[in-house]
Amino acid sequence: SSVSSLSFSDNPKGGFLTDIKYNAFGNCTALENISFSKNINSLGSSAFSGCSSLEKVILSDSITTIDSYAFSGCSALESIKLPSKLKTLGYDFISGTLVTTLTIPAGLTTCDHSTYYYGPLNGAKNLTELILADGMEKIPDYLAWFSTSETTHLTTISIPDSVTSIGSFSFANCTALGEITIPDSVTSIDRYAFSGCKKLASIRWSENLQSIGSSSFANCTALETLSFPKSVKTIDSYAF
């Protein structure tokens, strides 16, 4: 396709576009600009995949669902601003892009994953910094779960002091992660949360942490010394 610009207009009178479906604009290689209306609620799987000229995306805050592979293969994409009302994020949604920093909205609750063991950030090989927005209470399961066959350069994860729980597989196989600070608001770390983080050598524990789930730090082979806060009540099977 030779389409270089897309604009979706607001229509307060009804009859407006609300959903962009599967592969709707896939491989529109000339596409450089997208203007989203306030009426759009969801982006389907592979909706803009392969749009190799797209460099920057600002999504309307009305969007609550971004499906798998939505922007995968957008090889020039350097920046994407996620909507503040986002609830569901599909796997591999920015795989094969140049995105280095990503902020996750506080209201995100669901991260889809596939049977091949990966989550929304899988394939984002250039991602180095992940920021979780203030106000998030539970880090969603599978958020930064990478396939063991993928290369990841994610070295910085910022967790706000609103978080009380770190979900299952949240950061599994983040193989470049060397240190993590778990704020004092966190009381539980669920199963496999940091499993396979092979360079993780330093953990600053929450002083209010109560439970560490099964296999939550399994295969974290760089960990040599552990000193738990006195608040910890339960360390589950195979945690380390």
Side-chain angles (χ1 to χ4, degrees):
S1 172
S2 59
V3 174
S4 61
S5 182
L6 284 175
S7 179
F8 301 100
S9 301
D10 295 325
N11 184 356
K13 295 182 179 179
F16 44 75
L17 177 70
T18 59
D19 305 299
I20 298 175
K21 297 293 188 179
Y22 167 74
N23 206 32
F25 299 97
N27 296 312
C28 289
T29 56
L31 184 61
E32 297 178 352
N33 300 294
I34 309 171
S35 178
F36 292 95
S37 77
K38 296 177 182 178
N39 301 315
I40 295 175
N41 297 324
S42 68
L43 304 182
S45 180
S46 303
F48 295 96
S49 64
C51 294
S52 54
S53 296
L54 197 60
E55 296 182 1
K56 182 179 180 180
V57 172
I58 299 176
L59 296 168
S60 169
D61 284 336
S62 60
I63 296 172
T64 59
T65 299
I66 300 174
D67 243 335
S68 56
Y69 301 110
F71 294 95
S72 70
C74 294
S75 54
L77 185 63
E78 297 179 346
S79 172
I80 183 166
K81 183 179 182 296
L82 295 179
S84 61
K85 296 181 181 179
L86 186 66
K87 298 295 183 186
T88 301
L89 194 55
Y91 55 83
D92 273 59
F93 90 106
I94 52 168
S95 61
T97 68
L98 298 177
V99 175
T100 58
T101 301
L102 185 68
T103 298
I104 302 296
L108 183 70
T109 57
T110 303
C111 291
D112 291 337
H113 65 290
S114 84
T115 54
Y116 297 101
Y117 309 110
Y118 43 76
L121 303 185
N122 187 65
K125 295 182 179 180
N126 291 291
L127 188 67
T128 60
E129 182 179 20
L130 183 65
I131 302 167
L132 308 181
D134 191 35
M136 179 177 285
E137 295 181 0
K138 180 186 177 182
I139 299 175
D141 298 349
Y142 315 113
L143 175 60
W145 184 13
F146 289 86
S147 165
T148 54
S149 63
E150 287 285 347
T151 299
T152 168
H153 299 287
L154 184 60
T155 56
T156 303
I157 298 172
S158 300
I159 303 175
D161 59 10
S162 55
V163 170
T164 60
S165 175
I166 298 176
S168 301
F169 294 89
S170 291
F171 306 110
N173 298 326
C174 289
T175 54
L177 186 67
E179 60 181 5
I180 189 72
T181 295
I182 300 171
D184 289 340
S185 56
V186 173
T187 60
S188 66
I189 299 172
D190 290 348
R191 64 191 185 97
Y192 292 95
F194 292 92
S195 63
C197 294
K198 295 182 179 180
K199 290 186 179 180
L200 185 61
S202 174
I203 304 171
R204 189 278 182 190
W205 299 100
S206 162
E207 290 298 324
N208 295 298
L209 185 64
Q210 296 182 20
S211 64
I212 299 173
S214 61
S215 302
S216 51
F217 292 90
N219 296 316
C220 292
T221 51
L223 279 177
E224 294 183 356
T225 303
L226 293 169
S227 179
F228 302 109
K230 61 183 179 181
S231 58
V232 173
K233 297 179 180 178
T234 303
I235 299 176
D236 218 331
S237 306
Y238 309 108
F240 297 91

